[in-house]
Amino acid sequence: AQSVTQLGSHVSVSEGALVLLRCNYSSSVPPYLFWYVQYPNQGLQLLLKYTSAATLVKGINGFEAEFKKSETSFHLTKPSAHMSDAAEYFCAVSEGGSSASKIIFGSGTRLSIRP
Amino acid sequence: EAQVTQNPRYLITVTGKKLTVTCSQNMNHEYMSWYRQDPGLGLRQIYYSMNVEVTDKGDVPEGYKVSRKEKRNFPLILESPSPNQTSLYFCASSLRDGAGHEKLFFGSGTQLSVL
């Protein structure tokens, strides 16, 4: 069974500082991994996706994530935080292949940016 | 414009009064899904559909029904709503191919309050 754990329900960083949001997954088959962002009063939008190609995945708005199989992790980073990055971030996992059905989400991490 | 449309955006109802939340997508996606979002719990999948007339339970299906008579529509039905179904609901759809899920497109959400 698949599962996703996001460490830290709330992360606060200063503007210009490194952003690191942690995600660990559990999957019995090679996973597809996703990061989604949710801005206030909106639905979720895809930031980036890992599908077994390159282990370092670049997404929109300067975010990237690295797939580490040995650590079962897929942490999200951004070198320099911007005020507009304040949002809730969700890590998600699904199985690859045509039979893929469920997409399991983590509990989310709220990112706050201090001026 | 590619989009997932949910209606209504806000709904207040009373215990036991049947309601339907509609969801429609214009992208010819095979996969559609319903989630509920609750503080500290992230998104939990209620039901999903792999194609027309093919639906299956997610992680929290109790008290909900769905139907998929047409590819574009995937309504969520609460036959007898209860206060524990007060939540923010999201519909989502995605394109699936032999390699698995493409990204999920989310609706704007339906905030449901059951009194």
PDB file of all heavy atoms in Angstrom, chain A residues 32 36 38 41 43-44 46 49 90 97-107, chain B residues 9 31 35 37 40 42 45 48 50 59 90 96 98-104 106-107:
ATOM      1  N   TYR A  32       5.130   7.058  -8.860  1.00  0.00           N
ATOM      2  CA  TYR A  32       5.115   8.392  -9.419  1.00  0.00           C
ATOM      3  C   TYR A  32       4.929   9.339  -8.231  1.00  0.00           C
ATOM      4  O   TYR A  32       4.112   9.068  -7.360  1.00  0.00           O
ATOM      5  CB  TYR A  32       3.948   8.578 -10.390  1.00  0.00           C
ATOM      6  CG  TYR A  32       4.192   8.051 -11.778  1.00  0.00           C
ATOM      7  CD1 TYR A  32       5.156   7.086 -12.032  1.00  0.00           C
ATOM      8  CD2 TYR A  32       3.446   8.519 -12.851  1.00  0.00           C
ATOM      9  CE1 TYR A  32       5.362   6.608 -13.306  1.00  0.00           C
ATOM     10  CE2 TYR A  32       3.647   8.036 -14.132  1.00  0.00           C
ATOM     11  CZ  TYR A  32       4.609   7.079 -14.351  1.00  0.00           C
ATOM     12  OH  TYR A  32       4.809   6.613 -15.616  1.00  0.00           O
ATOM     13  N   TYR A  36       2.119  19.334  -5.230  1.00  0.00           N
ATOM     14  CA  TYR A  36       1.063  20.265  -5.616  1.00  0.00           C
ATOM     15  C   TYR A  36       1.097  21.457  -4.659  1.00  0.00           C
ATOM     16  O   TYR A  36       1.471  21.328  -3.494  1.00  0.00           O
ATOM     17  CB  TYR A  36      -0.312  19.611  -5.532  1.00  0.00           C
ATOM     18  CG  TYR A  36      -0.633  18.677  -6.674  1.00  0.00           C
ATOM     19  CD1 TYR A  36      -0.214  17.353  -6.647  1.00  0.00           C
ATOM     20  CD2 TYR A  36      -1.351  19.122  -7.777  1.00  0.00           C
ATOM     21  CE1 TYR A  36      -0.506  16.500  -7.698  1.00  0.00           C
ATOM     22  CE2 TYR A  36      -1.654  18.271  -8.831  1.00  0.00           C
ATOM     23  CZ  TYR A  36      -1.229  16.966  -8.780  1.00  0.00           C
ATOM     24  OH  TYR A  36      -1.520  16.126  -9.821  1.00  0.00           O
ATOM     25  N   GLN A  38      -1.296  24.783  -3.160  1.00  0.00           N
ATOM     26  CA  GLN A  38      -2.651  25.328  -3.025  1.00  0.00           C
ATOM     27  C   GLN A  38      -2.564  26.730  -2.456  1.00  0.00           C
ATOM     28  O   GLN A  38      -2.167  26.918  -1.303  1.00  0.00           O
ATOM     29  CB  GLN A  38      -3.497  24.441  -2.116  1.00  0.00           C
ATOM     30  CG  GLN A  38      -4.952  24.909  -2.016  1.00  0.00           C
ATOM     31  CD  GLN A  38      -5.761  24.020  -1.083  1.00  0.00           C
ATOM     32  OE1 GLN A  38      -5.254  23.458  -0.124  1.00  0.00           O
ATOM     33  NE2 GLN A  38      -7.050  23.880  -1.381  1.00  0.00           N
ATOM     34  N   ASN A  41      -7.982  29.829  -1.055  1.00  0.00           N
ATOM     35  CA  ASN A  41      -9.279  29.818  -1.749  1.00  0.00           C
ATOM     36  C   ASN A  41      -9.177  29.299  -3.187  1.00  0.00           C
ATOM     37  O   ASN A  41      -9.986  29.697  -4.038  1.00  0.00           O
ATOM     38  CB  ASN A  41      -9.901  31.218  -1.742  1.00  0.00           C
ATOM     39  CG  ASN A  41     -10.136  31.715  -0.342  1.00  0.00           C
ATOM     40  OD1 ASN A  41     -10.658  30.999   0.505  1.00  0.00           O
ATOM     41  ND2 ASN A  41      -9.704  32.939  -0.067  1.00  0.00           N
ATOM     42  N   GLY A  43      -8.086  25.719  -5.852  1.00  0.00           N
ATOM     43  CA  GLY A  43      -7.771  24.302  -5.945  1.00  0.00           C
ATOM     44  C   GLY A  43      -6.272  24.083  -6.037  1.00  0.00           C
ATOM     45  O   GLY A  43      -5.491  25.032  -6.051  1.00  0.00           O
ATOM     46  N   LEU A  44      -5.854  22.834  -6.095  1.00  0.00           N
ATOM     47  CA  LEU A  44      -4.437  22.513  -6.148  1.00  0.00           C
ATOM     48  C   LEU A  44      -3.912  22.637  -7.574  1.00  0.00           C
ATOM     49  O   LEU A  44      -4.623  22.386  -8.543  1.00  0.00           O
ATOM     50  CB  LEU A  44      -4.197  21.092  -5.652  1.00  0.00           C
ATOM     51  CG  LEU A  44      -4.202  20.887  -4.146  1.00  0.00           C
ATOM     52  CD1 LEU A  44      -5.601  21.000  -3.564  1.00  0.00           C
ATOM     53  CD2 LEU A  44      -3.597  19.529  -3.796  1.00  0.00           C
ATOM     54  N   LEU A  46      -0.361  21.589 -10.008  1.00  0.00           N
ATOM     55  CA  LEU A  46       0.845  20.781 -10.037  1.00  0.00           C
ATOM     56  C   LEU A  46       2.091  21.664 -10.087  1.00  0.00           C
ATOM     57  O   LEU A  46       2.197  22.565 -10.917  1.00  0.00           O
ATOM     58  CB  LEU A  46       0.830  19.869 -11.266  1.00  0.00           C
ATOM     59  CG  LEU A  46       2.017  18.930 -11.407  1.00  0.00           C
ATOM     60  CD1 LEU A  46       1.970  17.854 -10.312  1.00  0.00           C
ATOM     61  CD2 LEU A  46       2.047  18.286 -12.777  1.00  0.00           C
ATOM     62  N   LYS A  49       6.570  16.806 -11.097  1.00  0.00           N
ATOM     63  CA  LYS A  49       6.223  15.388 -11.083  1.00  0.00           C
ATOM     64  C   LYS A  49       7.471  14.547 -11.367  1.00  0.00           C
ATOM     65  O   LYS A  49       8.274  14.897 -12.243  1.00  0.00           O
ATOM     66  CB  LYS A  49       5.164  15.115 -12.149  1.00  0.00           C
ATOM     67  CG  LYS A  49       4.741  13.667 -12.268  1.00  0.00           C
ATOM     68  CD  LYS A  49       3.613  13.494 -13.266  1.00  0.00           C
ATOM     69  CE  LYS A  49       4.109  13.542 -14.686  1.00  0.00           C
ATOM     70  NZ  LYS A  49       3.055  13.160 -15.643  1.00  0.00           N
ATOM     71  N   PHE A  90       1.423  20.119  -0.978  1.00  0.00           N
ATOM     72  CA  PHE A  90       1.054  18.726  -0.768  1.00  0.00           C
ATOM     73  C   PHE A  90       1.940  17.811  -1.606  1.00  0.00           C
ATOM     74  O   PHE A  90       2.105  18.027  -2.814  1.00  0.00           O
ATOM     75  CB  PHE A  90      -0.400  18.477  -1.171  1.00  0.00           C
ATOM     76  CG  PHE A  90      -1.403  19.159  -0.291  1.00  0.00           C
ATOM     77  CD1 PHE A  90      -1.877  20.422  -0.606  1.00  0.00           C
ATOM     78  CD2 PHE A  90      -1.873  18.535   0.855  1.00  0.00           C
ATOM     79  CE1 PHE A  90      -2.804  21.063   0.202  1.00  0.00           C
ATOM     80  CE2 PHE A  90      -2.805  19.164   1.671  1.00  0.00           C
ATOM     81  CZ  PHE A  90      -3.262  20.425   1.339  1.00  0.00           C
ATOM     82  N   GLY A  97       2.105   3.087 -14.461  1.00  0.00           N
ATOM     83  CA  GLY A  97       1.489   2.060 -15.274  1.00  0.00           C
ATOM     84  C   GLY A  97       0.027   2.319 -15.560  1.00  0.00           C
ATOM     85  O   GLY A  97      -0.630   3.104 -14.889  1.00  0.00           O
ATOM     86  N   SER A  98      -0.496   1.630 -16.557  1.00  0.00           N
ATOM     87  CA  SER A  98      -1.861   1.874 -17.006  1.00  0.00           C
ATOM     88  C   SER A  98      -2.900   1.469 -15.981  1.00  0.00           C
ATOM     89  O   SER A  98      -4.052   1.878 -16.064  1.00  0.00           O
ATOM     90  CB  SER A  98      -2.116   1.131 -18.319  1.00  0.00           C
ATOM     91  OG  SER A  98      -1.896  -0.259 -18.128  1.00  0.00           O
ATOM     92  N   SER A  99      -2.521   0.657 -15.019  1.00  0.00           N
ATOM     93  CA  SER A  99      -3.491   0.241 -14.000  1.00  0.00           C
ATOM     94  C   SER A  99      -3.540   1.198 -12.825  1.00  0.00           C
ATOM     95  O   SER A  99      -4.286   0.987 -11.874  1.00  0.00           O
ATOM     96  CB  SER A  99      -3.141  -1.158 -13.486  1.00  0.00           C
ATOM     97  OG  SER A  99      -1.869  -1.136 -12.864  1.00  0.00           O
ATOM     98  N   ALA A 100      -2.753   2.258 -12.876  1.00  0.00           N
ATOM     99  CA  ALA A 100      -2.701   3.200 -11.759  1.00  0.00           C
ATOM    100  C   ALA A 100      -4.078   3.764 -11.474  1.00  0.00           C
ATOM    101  O   ALA A 100      -4.810   4.150 -12.375  1.00  0.00           O
ATOM    102  CB  ALA A 100      -1.729   4.320 -12.082  1.00  0.00           C
ATOM    103  N   SER A 101      -4.420   3.803 -10.209  1.00  0.00           N
ATOM    104  CA  SER A 101      -5.733   4.308  -9.837  1.00  0.00           C
ATOM    105  C   SER A 101      -5.624   5.406  -8.804  1.00  0.00           C
ATOM    106  O   SER A 101      -5.745   6.572  -9.109  1.00  0.00           O
ATOM    107  CB  SER A 101      -6.589   3.152  -9.322  1.00  0.00           C
ATOM    108  OG  SER A 101      -5.932   2.480  -8.259  1.00  0.00           O
ATOM    109  N   LYS A 102      -5.348   5.036  -7.545  1.00  0.00           N
ATOM    110  CA  LYS A 102      -5.343   6.036  -6.497  1.00  0.00           C
ATOM    111  C   LYS A 102      -4.151   6.965  -6.606  1.00  0.00           C
ATOM    112  O   LYS A 102      -3.072   6.570  -7.023  1.00  0.00           O
ATOM    113  CB  LYS A 102      -5.295   5.346  -5.130  1.00  0.00           C
ATOM    114  CG  LYS A 102      -6.561   4.638  -4.740  1.00  0.00           C
ATOM    115  CD  LYS A 102      -6.416   4.127  -3.324  1.00  0.00           C
ATOM    116  CE  LYS A 102      -7.698   3.463  -2.859  1.00  0.00           C
ATOM    117  NZ  LYS A 102      -7.586   3.012  -1.456  1.00  0.00           N
ATOM    118  N   ILE A 103      -4.390   8.182  -6.200  1.00  0.00           N
ATOM    119  CA  ILE A 103      -3.324   9.140  -5.946  1.00  0.00           C
ATOM    120  C   ILE A 103      -3.472   9.534  -4.487  1.00  0.00           C
ATOM    121  O   ILE A 103      -4.497  10.079  -4.094  1.00  0.00           O
ATOM    122  CB  ILE A 103      -3.414  10.363  -6.862  1.00  0.00           C
ATOM    123  CG1 ILE A 103      -3.335   9.936  -8.326  1.00  0.00           C
ATOM    124  CG2 ILE A 103      -2.304  11.355  -6.542  1.00  0.00           C
ATOM    125  CD1 ILE A 103      -3.525  11.074  -9.300  1.00  0.00           C
ATOM    126  N   ILE A 104      -2.471   9.229  -3.675  1.00  0.00           N
ATOM    127  CA  ILE A 104      -2.531   9.457  -2.231  1.00  0.00           C
ATOM    128  C   ILE A 104      -1.787  10.738  -1.892  1.00  0.00           C
ATOM    129  O   ILE A 104      -0.642  10.926  -2.303  1.00  0.00           O
ATOM    130  CB  ILE A 104      -1.895   8.280  -1.460  1.00  0.00           C
ATOM    131  CG1 ILE A 104      -2.511   6.953  -1.896  1.00  0.00           C
ATOM    132  CG2 ILE A 104      -2.049   8.501   0.036  1.00  0.00           C
ATOM    133  CD1 ILE A 104      -3.975   6.828  -1.595  1.00  0.00           C
ATOM    134  N   PHE A 105      -2.446  11.602  -1.121  1.00  0.00           N
ATOM    135  CA  PHE A 105      -1.860  12.879  -0.730  1.00  0.00           C
ATOM    136  C   PHE A 105      -1.370  12.839   0.713  1.00  0.00           C
ATOM    137  O   PHE A 105      -1.952  12.155   1.568  1.00  0.00           O
ATOM    138  CB  PHE A 105      -2.884  14.000  -0.870  1.00  0.00           C
ATOM    139  CG  PHE A 105      -3.125  14.422  -2.288  1.00  0.00           C
ATOM    140  CD1 PHE A 105      -4.025  13.738  -3.084  1.00  0.00           C
ATOM    141  CD2 PHE A 105      -2.443  15.500  -2.837  1.00  0.00           C
ATOM    142  CE1 PHE A 105      -4.246  14.115  -4.403  1.00  0.00           C
ATOM    143  CE2 PHE A 105      -2.659  15.889  -4.146  1.00  0.00           C
ATOM    144  CZ  PHE A 105      -3.555  15.200  -4.931  1.00  0.00           C
ATOM    145  N   GLY A 106      -0.322  13.599   0.973  1.00  0.00           N
ATOM    146  CA  GLY A 106       0.110  13.843   2.345  1.00  0.00           C
ATOM    147  C   GLY A 106      -0.801  14.848   3.024  1.00  0.00           C
ATOM    148  O   GLY A 106      -1.720  15.397   2.405  1.00  0.00           O
ATOM    149  N   SER A 107      -0.522  15.113   4.288  1.00  0.00           N
ATOM    150  CA  SER A 107      -1.393  15.986   5.076  1.00  0.00           C
ATOM    151  C   SER A 107      -1.115  17.467   4.845  1.00  0.00           C
ATOM    152  O   SER A 107      -1.833  18.315   5.356  1.00  0.00           O
ATOM    153  CB  SER A 107      -1.254  15.666   6.562  1.00  0.00           C
ATOM    154  OG  SER A 107       0.092  15.747   6.948  1.00  0.00           O
TER     155      SER A 107
ATOM    156  N   ARG B   9     -20.217  26.547  -5.199  1.00  0.00           N
ATOM    157  CA  ARG B   9     -18.964  26.918  -4.545  1.00  0.00           C
ATOM    158  C   ARG B   9     -19.114  26.838  -3.018  1.00  0.00           C
ATOM    159  O   ARG B   9     -18.193  26.453  -2.322  1.00  0.00           O
ATOM    160  CB  ARG B   9     -18.590  28.342  -4.959  1.00  0.00           C
ATOM    161  CG  ARG B   9     -17.257  28.807  -4.453  1.00  0.00           C
ATOM    162  CD  ARG B   9     -16.124  28.263  -5.305  1.00  0.00           C
ATOM    163  NE  ARG B   9     -14.855  28.863  -4.930  1.00  0.00           N
ATOM    164  CZ  ARG B   9     -14.097  28.414  -3.922  1.00  0.00           C
ATOM    165  NH1 ARG B   9     -14.485  27.390  -3.203  1.00  0.00           N
ATOM    166  NH2 ARG B   9     -12.955  28.996  -3.660  1.00  0.00           N
ATOM    167  N   TYR B  31      -9.944   9.783 -16.250  1.00  0.00           N
ATOM    168  CA  TYR B  31      -9.894   9.620 -14.798  1.00  0.00           C
ATOM    169  C   TYR B  31     -10.510  10.836 -14.122  1.00  0.00           C
ATOM    170  O   TYR B  31     -10.155  11.977 -14.427  1.00  0.00           O
ATOM    171  CB  TYR B  31      -8.441   9.455 -14.361  1.00  0.00           C
ATOM    172  CG  TYR B  31      -8.239   9.230 -12.882  1.00  0.00           C
ATOM    173  CD1 TYR B  31      -8.214   7.951 -12.352  1.00  0.00           C
ATOM    174  CD2 TYR B  31      -8.051  10.301 -12.016  1.00  0.00           C
ATOM    175  CE1 TYR B  31      -8.021   7.730 -10.998  1.00  0.00           C
ATOM    176  CE2 TYR B  31      -7.856  10.102 -10.669  1.00  0.00           C
ATOM    177  CZ  TYR B  31      -7.836   8.810 -10.164  1.00  0.00           C
ATOM    178  OH  TYR B  31      -7.645   8.602  -8.828  1.00  0.00           O
ATOM    179  N   TYR B  35     -12.220  14.366  -3.694  1.00  0.00           N
ATOM    180  CA  TYR B  35     -11.454  14.428  -2.455  1.00  0.00           C
ATOM    181  C   TYR B  35     -12.193  15.326  -1.465  1.00  0.00           C
ATOM    182  O   TYR B  35     -12.903  16.243  -1.857  1.00  0.00           O
ATOM    183  CB  TYR B  35     -10.075  15.030  -2.692  1.00  0.00           C
ATOM    184  CG  TYR B  35      -9.163  14.204  -3.572  1.00  0.00           C
ATOM    185  CD1 TYR B  35      -9.176  14.355  -4.957  1.00  0.00           C
ATOM    186  CD2 TYR B  35      -8.286  13.282  -3.023  1.00  0.00           C
ATOM    187  CE1 TYR B  35      -8.344  13.604  -5.757  1.00  0.00           C
ATOM    188  CE2 TYR B  35      -7.445  12.527  -3.821  1.00  0.00           C
ATOM    189  CZ  TYR B  35      -7.484  12.697  -5.189  1.00  0.00           C
ATOM    190  OH  TYR B  35      -6.653  11.948  -5.979  1.00  0.00           O
ATOM    191  N   GLN B  37     -11.063  17.765   1.890  1.00  0.00           N
ATOM    192  CA  GLN B  37      -9.906  18.343   2.555  1.00  0.00           C
ATOM    193  C   GLN B  37     -10.308  18.822   3.937  1.00  0.00           C
ATOM    194  O   GLN B  37     -11.207  19.658   4.074  1.00  0.00           O
ATOM    195  CB  GLN B  37      -9.338  19.514   1.740  1.00  0.00           C
ATOM    196  CG  GLN B  37      -8.093  20.120   2.354  1.00  0.00           C
ATOM    197  CD  GLN B  37      -7.503  21.228   1.511  1.00  0.00           C
ATOM    198  OE1 GLN B  37      -8.137  21.746   0.608  1.00  0.00           O
ATOM    199  NE2 GLN B  37      -6.261  21.593   1.797  1.00  0.00           N
ATOM    200  N   GLY B  40      -5.306  19.392   8.854  1.00  0.00           N
ATOM    201  CA  GLY B  40      -4.431  18.391   9.455  1.00  0.00           C
ATOM    202  C   GLY B  40      -4.499  17.019   8.823  1.00  0.00           C
ATOM    203  O   GLY B  40      -3.690  16.151   9.149  1.00  0.00           O
ATOM    204  N   GLY B  42      -5.028  16.684   5.227  1.00  0.00           N
ATOM    205  CA  GLY B  42      -4.734  16.755   3.807  1.00  0.00           C
ATOM    206  C   GLY B  42      -5.946  16.401   2.970  1.00  0.00           C
ATOM    207  O   GLY B  42      -7.091  16.600   3.388  1.00  0.00           O
ATOM    208  N   GLN B  45      -9.184  10.706  -0.518  1.00  0.00           N
ATOM    209  CA  GLN B  45      -9.960  10.345  -1.704  1.00  0.00           C
ATOM    210  C   GLN B  45     -11.275   9.685  -1.295  1.00  0.00           C
ATOM    211  O   GLN B  45     -11.279   8.745  -0.487  1.00  0.00           O
ATOM    212  CB  GLN B  45      -9.143   9.418  -2.605  1.00  0.00           C
ATOM    213  CG  GLN B  45      -9.741   9.213  -3.979  1.00  0.00           C
ATOM    214  CD  GLN B  45      -8.811   8.444  -4.877  1.00  0.00           C
ATOM    215  OE1 GLN B  45      -8.199   7.465  -4.467  1.00  0.00           O
ATOM    216  NE2 GLN B  45      -8.673   8.889  -6.115  1.00  0.00           N
ATOM    217  N   TYR B  48     -13.295   7.399  -6.995  1.00  0.00           N
ATOM    218  CA  TYR B  48     -12.659   7.729  -8.251  1.00  0.00           C
ATOM    219  C   TYR B  48     -13.294   6.916  -9.367  1.00  0.00           C
ATOM    220  O   TYR B  48     -13.993   5.926  -9.130  1.00  0.00           O
ATOM    221  CB  TYR B  48     -11.143   7.517  -8.196  1.00  0.00           C
ATOM    222  CG  TYR B  48     -10.702   6.088  -7.966  1.00  0.00           C
ATOM    223  CD1 TYR B  48     -10.394   5.245  -9.025  1.00  0.00           C
ATOM    224  CD2 TYR B  48     -10.570   5.601  -6.670  1.00  0.00           C
ATOM    225  CE1 TYR B  48      -9.989   3.947  -8.812  1.00  0.00           C
ATOM    226  CE2 TYR B  48     -10.168   4.296  -6.442  1.00  0.00           C
ATOM    227  CZ  TYR B  48      -9.865   3.479  -7.512  1.00  0.00           C
ATOM    228  OH  TYR B  48      -9.459   2.186  -7.285  1.00  0.00           O
ATOM    229  N   MET B  50     -12.312   5.420 -13.340  1.00  0.00           N
ATOM    230  CA  MET B  50     -11.305   5.220 -14.376  1.00  0.00           C
ATOM    231  C   MET B  50     -11.859   5.503 -15.765  1.00  0.00           C
ATOM    232  O   MET B  50     -11.097   5.743 -16.709  1.00  0.00           O
ATOM    233  CB  MET B  50     -10.769   3.793 -14.316  1.00  0.00           C
ATOM    234  CG  MET B  50     -10.238   3.400 -12.954  1.00  0.00           C
ATOM    235  SD  MET B  50      -8.591   4.002 -12.652  1.00  0.00           S
ATOM    236  CE  MET B  50      -7.661   2.556 -13.099  1.00  0.00           C
ATOM    237  N   ASP B  59     -10.548   6.154  -0.057  1.00  0.00           N
ATOM    238  CA  ASP B  59     -10.248   5.850   1.341  1.00  0.00           C
ATOM    239  C   ASP B  59     -11.392   6.174   2.301  1.00  0.00           C
ATOM    240  O   ASP B  59     -11.478   5.584   3.373  1.00  0.00           O
ATOM    241  CB  ASP B  59      -9.000   6.638   1.772  1.00  0.00           C
ATOM    242  CG  ASP B  59      -7.771   6.175   1.019  1.00  0.00           C
ATOM    243  OD1 ASP B  59      -7.600   4.947   0.882  1.00  0.00           O
ATOM    244  OD2 ASP B  59      -6.992   7.021   0.563  1.00  0.00           O
ATOM    245  N   PHE B  90     -13.126  18.701  -3.282  1.00  0.00           N
ATOM    246  CA  PHE B  90     -12.506  18.983  -4.576  1.00  0.00           C
ATOM    247  C   PHE B  90     -12.749  17.836  -5.540  1.00  0.00           C
ATOM    248  O   PHE B  90     -12.599  16.664  -5.189  1.00  0.00           O
ATOM    249  CB  PHE B  90     -10.995  19.169  -4.438  1.00  0.00           C
ATOM    250  CG  PHE B  90     -10.605  20.463  -3.808  1.00  0.00           C
ATOM    251  CD1 PHE B  90     -10.245  20.522  -2.475  1.00  0.00           C
ATOM    252  CD2 PHE B  90     -10.598  21.634  -4.551  1.00  0.00           C
ATOM    253  CE1 PHE B  90      -9.882  21.727  -1.883  1.00  0.00           C
ATOM    254  CE2 PHE B  90     -10.241  22.840  -3.975  1.00  0.00           C
ATOM    255  CZ  PHE B  90      -9.885  22.883  -2.643  1.00  0.00           C
ATOM    256  N   ARG B  96      -4.798   9.748 -18.427  1.00  0.00           N
ATOM    257  CA  ARG B  96      -3.992   8.581 -18.107  1.00  0.00           C
ATOM    258  C   ARG B  96      -3.533   7.925 -19.400  1.00  0.00           C
ATOM    259  O   ARG B  96      -4.281   7.848 -20.356  1.00  0.00           O
ATOM    260  CB  ARG B  96      -4.788   7.576 -17.287  1.00  0.00           C
ATOM    261  CG  ARG B  96      -5.145   8.058 -15.902  1.00  0.00           C
ATOM    262  CD  ARG B  96      -5.979   7.051 -15.159  1.00  0.00           C
ATOM    263  NE  ARG B  96      -5.289   5.793 -14.984  1.00  0.00           N
ATOM    264  CZ  ARG B  96      -5.598   4.683 -15.637  1.00  0.00           C
ATOM    265  NH1 ARG B  96      -6.571   4.688 -16.526  1.00  0.00           N
ATOM    266  NH2 ARG B  96      -4.931   3.571 -15.414  1.00  0.00           N
ATOM    267  N   GLY B  98      -0.389   4.810 -20.906  1.00  0.00           N
ATOM    268  CA  GLY B  98       0.276   3.587 -20.502  1.00  0.00           C
ATOM    269  C   GLY B  98       1.323   3.771 -19.419  1.00  0.00           C
ATOM    270  O   GLY B  98       1.671   2.835 -18.724  1.00  0.00           O
ATOM    271  N   ALA B  99       1.779   4.991 -19.242  1.00  0.00           N
ATOM    272  CA  ALA B  99       2.805   5.264 -18.238  1.00  0.00           C
ATOM    273  C   ALA B  99       2.215   5.703 -16.909  1.00  0.00           C
ATOM    274  O   ALA B  99       2.946   5.971 -15.971  1.00  0.00           O
ATOM    275  CB  ALA B  99       3.770   6.327 -18.761  1.00  0.00           C
ATOM    276  N   GLY B 100       0.889   5.812 -16.830  1.00  0.00           N
ATOM    277  CA  GLY B 100       0.293   6.206 -15.559  1.00  0.00           C
ATOM    278  C   GLY B 100      -0.358   7.563 -15.618  1.00  0.00           C
ATOM    279  O   GLY B 100      -0.723   8.046 -16.679  1.00  0.00           O
ATOM    280  N   HIS B 101      -0.469   8.193 -14.452  1.00  0.00           N
ATOM    281  CA  HIS B 101      -1.194   9.450 -14.367  1.00  0.00           C
ATOM    282  C   HIS B 101      -0.405  10.624 -14.904  1.00  0.00           C
ATOM    283  O   HIS B 101       0.765  10.783 -14.584  1.00  0.00           O
ATOM    284  CB  HIS B 101      -1.523   9.751 -12.905  1.00  0.00           C
ATOM    285  CG  HIS B 101      -2.719   9.010 -12.407  1.00  0.00           C
ATOM    286  ND1 HIS B 101      -4.003   9.349 -12.746  1.00  0.00           N
ATOM    287  CD2 HIS B 101      -2.821   7.931 -11.601  1.00  0.00           C
ATOM    288  CE1 HIS B 101      -4.834   8.514 -12.160  1.00  0.00           C
ATOM    289  NE2 HIS B 101      -4.160   7.646 -11.471  1.00  0.00           N
ATOM    290  N   GLU B 102      -1.047  11.431 -15.678  1.00  0.00           N
ATOM    291  CA  GLU B 102      -0.567  12.773 -15.912  1.00  0.00           C
ATOM    292  C   GLU B 102      -1.036  13.635 -14.747  1.00  0.00           C
ATOM    293  O   GLU B 102      -1.547  13.122 -13.767  1.00  0.00           O
ATOM    294  CB  GLU B 102      -1.111  13.306 -17.241  1.00  0.00           C
ATOM    295  CG  GLU B 102      -0.500  12.624 -18.449  1.00  0.00           C
ATOM    296  CD  GLU B 102       0.996  12.869 -18.517  1.00  0.00           C
ATOM    297  OE1 GLU B 102       1.418  14.027 -18.374  1.00  0.00           O
ATOM    298  OE2 GLU B 102       1.747  11.897 -18.683  1.00  0.00           O
ATOM    299  N   LYS B 103      -0.887  14.916 -14.834  1.00  0.00           N
ATOM    300  CA  LYS B 103      -1.211  15.737 -13.664  1.00  0.00           C
ATOM    301  C   LYS B 103      -2.709  15.817 -13.464  1.00  0.00           C
ATOM    302  O   LYS B 103      -3.502  15.708 -14.402  1.00  0.00           O
ATOM    303  CB  LYS B 103      -0.635  17.134 -13.825  1.00  0.00           C
ATOM    304  CG  LYS B 103      -1.314  17.992 -14.889  1.00  0.00           C
ATOM    305  CD  LYS B 103      -0.727  19.387 -14.881  1.00  0.00           C
ATOM    306  CE  LYS B 103      -1.414  20.298 -15.860  1.00  0.00           C
ATOM    307  NZ  LYS B 103      -0.831  21.666 -15.815  1.00  0.00           N
ATOM    308  N   LEU B 104      -3.084  16.016 -12.201  1.00  0.00           N
ATOM    309  CA  LEU B 104      -4.479  16.233 -11.849  1.00  0.00           C
ATOM    310  C   LEU B 104      -4.851  17.692 -12.086  1.00  0.00           C
ATOM    311  O   LEU B 104      -4.095  18.595 -11.733  1.00  0.00           O
ATOM    312  CB  LEU B 104      -4.714  15.895 -10.385  1.00  0.00           C
ATOM    313  CG  LEU B 104      -4.837  14.416 -10.006  1.00  0.00           C
ATOM    314  CD1 LEU B 104      -4.804  14.272  -8.496  1.00  0.00           C
ATOM    315  CD2 LEU B 104      -6.100  13.807 -10.565  1.00  0.00           C
ATOM    316  N   PHE B 106      -7.649  20.316 -10.869  1.00  0.00           N
ATOM    317  CA  PHE B 106      -8.602  20.438  -9.777  1.00  0.00           C
ATOM    318  C   PHE B 106      -9.643  21.512 -10.063  1.00  0.00           C
ATOM    319  O   PHE B 106      -9.347  22.550 -10.671  1.00  0.00           O
ATOM    320  CB  PHE B 106      -7.882  20.807  -8.475  1.00  0.00           C
ATOM    321  CG  PHE B 106      -7.209  19.640  -7.816  1.00  0.00           C
ATOM    322  CD1 PHE B 106      -5.951  19.238  -8.213  1.00  0.00           C
ATOM    323  CD2 PHE B 106      -7.838  18.958  -6.798  1.00  0.00           C
ATOM    324  CE1 PHE B 106      -5.332  18.161  -7.610  1.00  0.00           C
ATOM    325  CE2 PHE B 106      -7.230  17.872  -6.178  1.00  0.00           C
ATOM    326  CZ  PHE B 106      -5.975  17.481  -6.589  1.00  0.00           C
ATOM    327  N   GLY B 107     -10.838  21.266  -9.557  1.00  0.00           N
ATOM    328  CA  GLY B 107     -11.844  22.307  -9.511  1.00  0.00           C
ATOM    329  C   GLY B 107     -11.523  23.296  -8.403  1.00  0.00           C
ATOM    330  O   GLY B 107     -10.573  23.119  -7.647  1.00  0.00           O
TER     331      GLY B 107
END
